[in-house]
Amino acid sequence: MVLETALNAASALQAAQQTVEIETAGLQAMRDALDGELGKRFEGAISTILDAQSKGGRIIVTGMGKSGHIGRKIAASLASTGALSHFVHPAEASHGDLGMVGGDDVVLALSWSGEAPELADIIAYTRRFSVPLIAITSGPKSALGSAADIALVLPKMAEACPNGLAPTTSTTMQLAMGDCITVALLSLRKFTAQDFRQFHPGGKLGSRLLKVGDLMHSGDAMPLVSDRSLLSEAIVEISSKRYGMTGIVDAGGRLIGIVTDGDLRRAFSEGFNDRPVSEIMTRAPRVTTPDTLASQLLAEMNARSITGLFAVEKEKPVGVIHLHEILRAGVA
């Protein structure tokens, strides 16, 4: 029994390795093809999509079976990066969902063979109403490939399935082409991490894109005293606001220093003397800005063993943030 299990495990590992090798070969073939005709057609497809978007059009993705599952992922990736897009099931399109396709839209259809009969109606619809049709297929002379305005013809490669039947290499290549389209569009539109957060407010990704301004406390919540204040006033401010520090501002409201718990302990070690805070404050303290990513600030605070910082604009404090607030927000 132990020997049989070991042999099965070895066979499973070999199958996994061969699958990766075969699918990698498919991706490499697609990469090589992008240096030729596929690359020219790809640029044409991107230009067509950008033109549609400039008119307020959307990217309508469609496909049947496994190609349809890949299409759903492509539509989701496009939408999450600011390109108006949604998936239309080809069978449902034949029963009313063709009304979801507008005249300014562009249709991106996936079919490895290019002969999926369920695509017939949506193909005919795009031809009738002059809706641009982009195909992702391996069949340039197929029903889909020949009807498309632009056919992104992928190299025909062996499936990883030993029977050559289950879509494996083909779906990997389709997915990669979808990613190529998505990344090309977001790059040309200069889509930033801040833009990305608008569509990903939840979960781990959303927390990684939080800014200091989203988490900081401002107004009366900030621990602040003037540079003319005494240590006793600073103690009251630190104790009441519970940030372990207080900022020191000049007559113009500019942050010129901070006094921390540590500064007070050192001052008390010499015997309490209620003197001006300006005598013990740390001048030109480290600060941040409201637009700084919280994840970036967390790394800096950990590296420098800092637990709290003021956010400033034009040298004036506009907020305060504590390490614990960043961690509570799930930023790590």
Side-chain angles (χ1 to χ4, degrees):
M1 180 65 74
V2 174
L3 178 59
E4 181 180 353
T5 301
L7 288 174
N8 287 338
S11 178
L13 177 59
Q14 185 178 29
Q17 293 169 333
Q18 290 176 350
T19 298
V20 173
E21 290 172 0
I22 293 170
E23 294 194 5
T24 299
L27 291 175
Q28 185 58 57
M30 191 176 83
R31 169 63 184 86
D32 294 340
L34 283 168
D35 287 330
E37 182 63 24
L38 178 59
K40 295 177 183 178
R41 295 187 180 189
F42 180 82
E43 291 182 328
I46 296 301
S47 178
T48 298
I49 293 172
L50 289 174
D51 182 60
Q53 289 182 323
S54 70
K55 301 173 184 175
R58 302 154 301 166
I59 307 169
I60 309 300
V61 185
T62 189
M64 194 66 194
K66 302 301 184 293
S67 292
H69 292 306
I70 297 299
R72 288 183 186 276
K73 189 275 179 184
I74 293 172
S77 293
L78 289 167
S80 73
T81 52
L84 293 177
S85 175
H86 64 263
F87 180 84
V88 173
H89 194 286
E92 296 295 340
S94 300
H95 294 274
D97 282 2
L98 281 173
M100 295 182 178
V101 183
D104 291 327
D105 295 339
V106 55
V107 172
L108 178 64
L110 288 78
S111 173
W112 188 249
S113 68
E115 299 292 355
E118 294 85 356
L119 290 174
D121 287 339
I122 197 168
I123 292 173
Y125 186 87
T126 64
R127 302 306 79 193
R128 179 182 177 187
F129 293 101
S130 300
V131 177
L133 174 62
I134 299 171
I136 297 179
T137 181
S138 67
K141 297 182 180 180
S142 64
L144 174 61
S146 58
D149 295 293
I150 299 174
L152 300 177
V153 181
L154 304 182
K156 288 186 178 180
M157 301 295 292
E159 300 285 11
C161 168
N163 299 316
L165 298 174
T168 45
T169 307
S170 57
T171 49
T172 297
M173 294 170 69
Q174 287 177 319
L175 182 61
M177 179 53 70
D179 287 342
C180 290
I181 293 172
T182 299
V183 174
L185 289 173
L186 72 86
S187 297
L188 291 173
R189 290 171 35 249
K190 302 187 185 306
F191 195 80
T192 66
Q194 287 72 24
D195 297 324
F196 200 73
R197 182 178 172 248
Q198 295 181 38
F199 304 103
H200 299 78
K204 187 64 177 178
L205 185 55
S207 65
R208 287 178 55 197
L209 296 173
L210 286 171
K211 296 181 182 179
V212 169
D214 298 319
L215 301 174
M216 71 184 190
H217 293 271
S218 57
D220 292 339
M222 291 188 292
L224 295 172
V225 297
S226 78
D227 56 353
R228 298 182 298 277
S229 299
L230 297 175
L231 281 180
S232 57
E233 297 174 86
I235 293 171
V236 171
E237 188 72 358
I238 292 174
S239 299
S240 62
K241 300 297 175 61
R242 299 183 178 181
Y243 276 94
M245 65 176 183
T246 184
I248 313 300
V249 294
D250 63 15
R254 292 179 291 271
L255 185 71
I256 61 172
I258 61 169
V259 171
T260 67
D261 286 337
D263 295 326
L264 291 176
R265 284 193 295 271
R266 285 186 288 273
F268 289 164
S269 67
E270 302 169 1
F272 180 73
N273 179 10
D274 198 10
R275 55 190 188 274
V277 292
S278 57
E279 293 184 12
I280 70 164
M281 72 180 184
T282 300
R283 296 182 180 275
R286 292 188 178 278
V287 294
T288 185
T289 68
D291 289 332
T292 300
L293 286 174
S295 57
Q296 177 184 338
L297 181 62
L298 177 62
E300 179 182 346
M301 294 175 80
N302 283 332
R304 300 183 181 280
S305 299
I306 298 172
T307 58
L309 280 177
F310 283 96
V312 301
E313 289 181 339
K314 298 180 179 179
E315 301 181 18
K316 295 182 179 181
V318 294
V320 63
I321 189 167
H322 195 278
L323 177 67
H324 292 165
E325 293 164 340
I326 299 177
L327 294 175
R328 276 197 297 269
V331 179

